[in-house]
């Protein structure tokens, strides 16, 4: 089955710097790659996603890149702010051959700390 | 904006007892999921549900677990005989593929299950 590896496990940056989190996946059939932000004690919230027919997607300070050949995708946060501090999870969704939507296989998470 | 809701927010139970966790997915969604997150660890897929039947389940989802959609709005996860290692945050999620093929899964706030 699908396996997602995520690095680094912790990341500390100064406010205003950029942060990059990287993930690799194993199942070449996976076709959907969301990133979730989870604040302490809260639900995971989708911040950006990318489908396998797209190489890059950007939403204000957040961007995601996908390299299908290498089976890796990355989250880029520019001009980081203290409120970006949270745990970020990447996920991959292999298609369900029964016809319904595939489940999400998550990475282990990256704890991002943005120091003012 | 519609949200997935879950009850209770916290459930404490004795080992060996049955628990039922309840979820109300977003009303027009067709795909439903349960995930769990042991404290400090990644989110793990348990089961997906579509068209009134299980689509996929993980190795975690053994015979002690069952899911049901008893009416048009609720989606439940039952653990028949709880074990200490079942202690975790349980998240319900729902999605609607729709015409655009959007795969975003919306997560509920979670139920923290503590097994004593």
């Amino acid at each position: 089955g699908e396996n997602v590896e995520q690095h680094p496990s912790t990341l500390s940056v100064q406010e205003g710097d950029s942060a990059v989190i990287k993930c690799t996946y194993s199942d070449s059939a996976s076709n959907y790659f969301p990133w979730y932000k989870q604040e302490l004690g809260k639900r995971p919230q989708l911040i950006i996603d990318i489908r396998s027919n797209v190489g890059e997607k950007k939403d204000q300070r957040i961007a995601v890149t996908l390299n299908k050949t290498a089976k890796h995708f990355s989250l880029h946060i520019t001009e980081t702010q203290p409120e970006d501090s949270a745990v970020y999870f990447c996920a991959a969704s292999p298609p369900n051959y029964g016809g319904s939507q595939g489940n999400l296989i998550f990475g282990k998470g990256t704890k991002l700390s943005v120091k003012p | 904006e519609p949200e997935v809701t879950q009850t209770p927010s916290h459930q404490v139970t004795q080992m060996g007892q049955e628990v039922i966790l309840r979820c109300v997915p977003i009303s027009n969604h067709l795909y439903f999921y349960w995930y769990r997150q042991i404290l400090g660890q990644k989110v793990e897929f348990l089961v997906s549900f579509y068209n009134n039947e299980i689509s996929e389940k993980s190795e975690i989802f053994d015979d002690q677990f069952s899911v049901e959609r008893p009416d048009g709005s609720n989606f439940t996860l039952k653990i028949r005989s709880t074990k200490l290692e079942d202690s975790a945050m349980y998240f319900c999620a729902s999605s609607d593929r729709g015409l655009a093929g959007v795969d975003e899964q919306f997560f509920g706030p979670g139920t923290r299950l503590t097994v004593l």
Side-chain angles (χ1 to χ4, degrees):
Chain A
E2 176 63 279
N3 182 53
V4 177
E5 298 288 339
Q6 182 171 349
H7 299 281
S9 56
T10 59
L11 179 59
S12 182
V13 300
Q14 287 295 132
E15 182 176 2
D17 286 352
S18 295
V20 180
I21 302 171
K22 299 181 179 182
C23 288
T24 59
Y25 61 99
S26 60
D27 188 343
S28 57
S30 287
N31 57 8
Y32 175 66
F33 307 91
W35 286 88
Y36 284 84
K37 176 183 180 182
Q38 187 179 33
E39 296 175 355
L40 192 63
K42 301 278 183 72
R43 75 184 81 190
Q45 297 263 24
L46 181 75
I47 55 171
I48 197 166
D49 55 11
I50 193 167
R51 299 183 64 84
S52 58
N53 57 350
V54 175
E56 184 174 357
K57 184 176 176 181
K58 191 172 181 181
D59 182 4
Q60 299 182 339
R61 297 187 296 109
I62 295 172
V64 57
T65 58
L66 171 65
N67 183 327
K68 283 175 57 180
T69 304
K71 290 190 282 189
H72 69 69
F73 55 113
S74 301
L75 177 71
H76 304 253
I77 306 175
T78 58
E79 300 170 29
T80 53
Q81 300 164 4
E83 51 265 39
D84 293 330
S85 296
V87 179
Y88 291 79
F89 290 97
C90 63
S93 182
N96 182 310
Y97 296 102
S100 62
Q101 264 189 251
N103 60 73
L104 296 177
I105 305 299
F106 285 84
K108 290 187 177 180
T110 296
K111 184 175 181 181
L112 174 65
S113 300
V114 180
K115 298 179 180 179
Chain B
E1 187 174 335
E3 285 190 333
V4 176
T5 60
Q6 289 184 244
T7 54
S9 56
H10 193 186
Q11 174 90 48
V12 181
T13 189
Q14 294 290 326
M15 189 169 57
Q17 294 296 305
E18 173 183 287
V19 295
I20 297 176
L21 310 183
R22 292 182 167 78
C23 168
V24 179
I26 294 173
S27 63
N28 62 336
H29 283 185
L30 302 176
Y31 302 86
F32 314 114
Y33 309 83
W34 283 102
Y35 293 85
R36 79 170 186 191
Q37 185 178 32
I38 296 170
L39 188 63
Q41 298 187 23
K42 67 176 177 180
V43 178
E44 299 175 290
F45 167 73
L46 293 178
V47 65
S48 60
F49 192 86
Y50 169 72
N51 200 26
N52 286 318
E53 61 183 20
I54 290 173
S55 307
E56 283 183 283
K57 57 184 180 179
S58 71
E59 292 174 354
I60 302 168
F61 194 88
D62 61 22
D63 292 344
Q64 293 299 311
F65 291 87
S66 62
V67 289
E68 192 178 29
R69 188 155 164 81
D71 53 42
S73 60
N74 290 284
F75 179 51
T76 62
L77 175 70
K78 182 193 290 186
I79 309 174
R80 265 181 269 280
S81 178
T82 49
K83 302 188 283 280
L84 295 176
E85 52 265 38
D86 294 328
S87 294
M89 181 74 92
Y90 288 81
F91 291 104
C92 172
S94 69
S95 68
D96 173 24
R97 195 173 186 94
L99 296 176
V102 174
D103 298 294
E104 178 178 357
Q105 293 185 22
F106 294 83
F107 281 74
T111 292
R112 180 164 296 286
L113 176 65
T114 302
V115 182
L116 302 176

